[in-house]
Amino acid sequence: MADDAPREIEALIDLMARLPGLGPRSARRAVLTLLKKRGQLMAPLAQAMANVALTARDCVVCGNIGTSDRCAICTDDRRATGEICVVENVADLWAMERAGAFKGRYHVLGGTLSALDGIGPDELRIPALTRRIADEGITEVILALNATVDGQTTAHYIADSLSGSGTSITSLAQGVPIGGELDYLDDGTIGAALRARKRF
Amino acid sequence: MADDAPREIEALIDLMARLPGLGPRSARRAVLTLLKKRGQLMAPLAQAMANVALTARDCVVCGNIGTSDRCAICTDDRRATGEICVVENVADLWAMERAGAFKGRYHVLGGTLSALDGIGPDELRIPALTRRIADEGITEVILALNATVDGQTTAHYIADSLSGSGTSITSLAQGVPIGGELDYLDDGTIGAALRARKRF
Ligand SMILES: [Zn+2]
Ligand SMILES: [Zn+2]
């Protein structure tokens, strides 16, 4: 779509349009709002974004996003070390944290197994999970994967591969609706599903 | 809404949520996408935004946004100088330019008259429009305001205040649907409405 804005502004619109939920038209509207609020909104937003782009990094232990090699959860002594909650992505970790029901550590897979997309265990953080269970004395692994086909396939794969580890493998209770994604659930549902978790 | 992301990321989510069309949830999703594409998307977007925040300025002549005191349209010798197309905002100017049907100059009001919001002529660029008509030898003023109550009130106010100027005042033809906003129209409709413009 040709915009007849100055080149610099068109470049900004094109980049904004690559964000989820923003098409070319809504990206243009967003940029117009930014242009109207150059001082109060655009400059601080650019600064905040540059700051995050510069400082954000993946936690080398769990795959969560933080601002140093080990994330705030992995370095929090008050969090239980024997339990790992396995989630697909950082959005799901945030959803779990908002529910406030889990006090252990996480492991972020970075996606789900998908034959279609050629994503096998090595494309996810599954080997690292296996190592953590051996190294960290984990007594329970809670599989908090989405109730989608790929999520459940991945859960079964992980449960199988950990079956000889002596670790208890549980999954969120059926409070999670079929086909539901964690990030869309209310905090209460997530909390209830966690408390009623069952052996996998 | 409490996000359990690092503070820097929460600050970014809060700023993103202030963009039109993005609520807290979609802002979070947008930031997660940015976090996944730190190098390819987040850093360039932050840079583009900082660049625009630094360079964008309002044209002192017409109110369009450009990168210098006078915008690309006002400094384009190939554009007719005798005709001014009056629009509410820069989005509408871009919509007119996309239609490609108008070859004169613009005047961006910066809004519409609104008793409710306490916006009178002096809050808009109406005095500047009056000065331009006297100074630039304008023969036609095309009122391309939205077909909304406020848009049409503003059009009538401008037509009245220019009635003694000897300048021809026209408005876009009724190709613009009632209640319609220019920025939502296809280019063909805008072009047709412009060509069929009628005396106001
Ligand atoms: Zn971590
Ligand atoms: Zn200009």
Side-chain angles (χ1 to χ4, degrees):
Chain A
M1 177 182 293
D3 276 300
D4 286 271
R7 191 169 33 81
E8 294 88 344
I9 297 176
E10 282 189 42
L12 178 57
I13 293 170
D14 288 346
L15 286 166
M16 289 290 284
R18 290 168 57 187
L19 292 175
L22 286 181
R25 179 182 298 279
S26 48
R28 199 161 3 104
R29 298 215 147 228
V31 168
L32 281 161
T33 297
L34 290 172
L35 285 167
K36 272 186 203 147
K37 302 178 178 175
R38 293 203 276 278
Q40 318 106 275
L41 185 53
M42 196 193 279
L45 181 55
Q47 183 59 54
M49 207 176 279
N51 184 27
V52 170
L54 206 68
T55 59
R57 61 196 62 186
D58 297 335
C59 175
V60 295
V61 178
C62 75
N64 183 19
I65 285 174
T67 52
S68 54
D69 280 353
R70 281 160 194 259
C71 76
I73 292 174
C74 283
T75 53
D76 184 346
D77 290 340
R78 293 161 304 181
R79 312 248 344 181
T81 51
E83 294 172 27
I84 286 182
C85 180
V86 178
V87 291
E88 290 178 20
N89 54 50
V90 173
D92 293 338
L93 186 159
W94 291 353
M96 288 295 297
E97 285 296 285
R98 283 198 301 278
F102 178 67
K103 299 300 176 197
R105 312 284 171 107
Y106 288 94
H107 195 78
V108 180
L109 294 177
T112 49
L113 295 172
S114 168
L116 223 68
D117 299 328
I119 297 177
D122 292 343
E123 276 72 51
L124 304 176
R125 286 196 190 80
I126 291 181
L129 175 62
T130 313
R131 279 196 301 277
R132 286 185 71 186
I133 285 161
D135 295 352
E136 297 181 19
I138 303 299
T139 54
E140 181 175 1
V141 171
I142 302 169
L143 300 173
L145 303 185
N146 290 322
T148 56
V149 172
D150 283 344
Q152 293 309 302
T153 303
T154 308
H156 280 284
Y157 176 89
I158 293 175
D160 283 350
S161 64
L162 298 181
S163 62
S165 67
T167 308
S168 171
I169 317 273
T170 58
S171 66
L172 294 188
Q174 290 218 329
V176 180
I178 301 301
E181 300 193 66
L182 288 189
D183 194 30
Y184 283 99
L185 293 182
D186 63 289
D187 301 350
T189 304
I190 291 182
L194 179 78
R195 284 187 296 276
R197 67 187 180 269
K198 61 181 200 334
R199 194 163 299 278
F200 196 80
Chain B
M1 178 182 294
D3 277 299
D4 286 271
R7 192 167 35 80
E8 295 86 344
I9 297 177
E10 282 189 42
L12 178 56
I13 293 171
D14 288 346
L15 287 165
M16 289 290 284
R18 290 167 58 186
L19 293 175
L22 287 181
R25 180 182 297 279
S26 47
R28 200 162 0 106
R29 298 218 145 224
V31 168
L32 280 161
T33 297
L34 289 172
L35 284 167
K36 273 187 205 146
K37 302 178 177 174
R38 293 204 276 278
Q40 319 104 278
L41 185 53
M42 197 194 277
L45 181 55
Q47 183 58 54
M49 206 175 280
N51 184 26
V52 170
L54 206 68
T55 60
R57 60 196 63 187
D58 296 334
C59 174
V60 296
V61 177
C62 76
N64 184 18
I65 285 173
T67 52
S68 55
D69 280 352
R70 281 157 195 261
C71 75
I73 292 173
C74 284
T75 54
D76 184 347
D77 289 340
R78 294 159 304 181
R79 311 242 355 176
T81 52
E83 293 172 27
I84 286 181
C85 178
V86 177
V87 291
E88 291 178 21
N89 54 49
V90 173
D92 293 338
L93 185 157
W94 291 353
M96 289 293 299
E97 286 296 284
R98 283 199 301 279
F102 178 67
K103 299 298 177 195
R105 312 287 171 105
Y106 288 93
H107 195 79
V108 180
L109 294 178
T112 50
L113 295 173
S114 168
L116 224 66
D117 298 327
I119 298 176
D122 293 344
E123 275 73 49
L124 304 177
R125 287 197 190 79
I126 291 180
L129 175 63
T130 312
R131 280 196 302 277
R132 285 185 71 185
I133 286 160
D135 296 351
E136 297 180 20
I138 303 300
T139 55
E140 181 176 1
V141 171
I142 301 169
L143 300 173
L145 304 186
N146 291 321
T148 56
V149 172
D150 282 344
Q152 293 308 303
T153 302
T154 308
H156 281 283
Y157 177 88
I158 293 174
D160 283 350
S161 64
L162 298 181
S163 63
S165 67
T167 307
S168 171
I169 318 271
T170 58
S171 65
L172 294 187
Q174 291 219 327
V176 180
I178 302 299
E181 300 193 65
L182 287 188
D183 194 30
Y184 283 100
L185 294 182
D186 63 290
D187 301 350
T189 304
I190 292 182
L194 179 79
R195 286 186 296 274
R197 66 186 180 270
K198 61 183 200 336
R199 193 162 302 277
F200 197 82

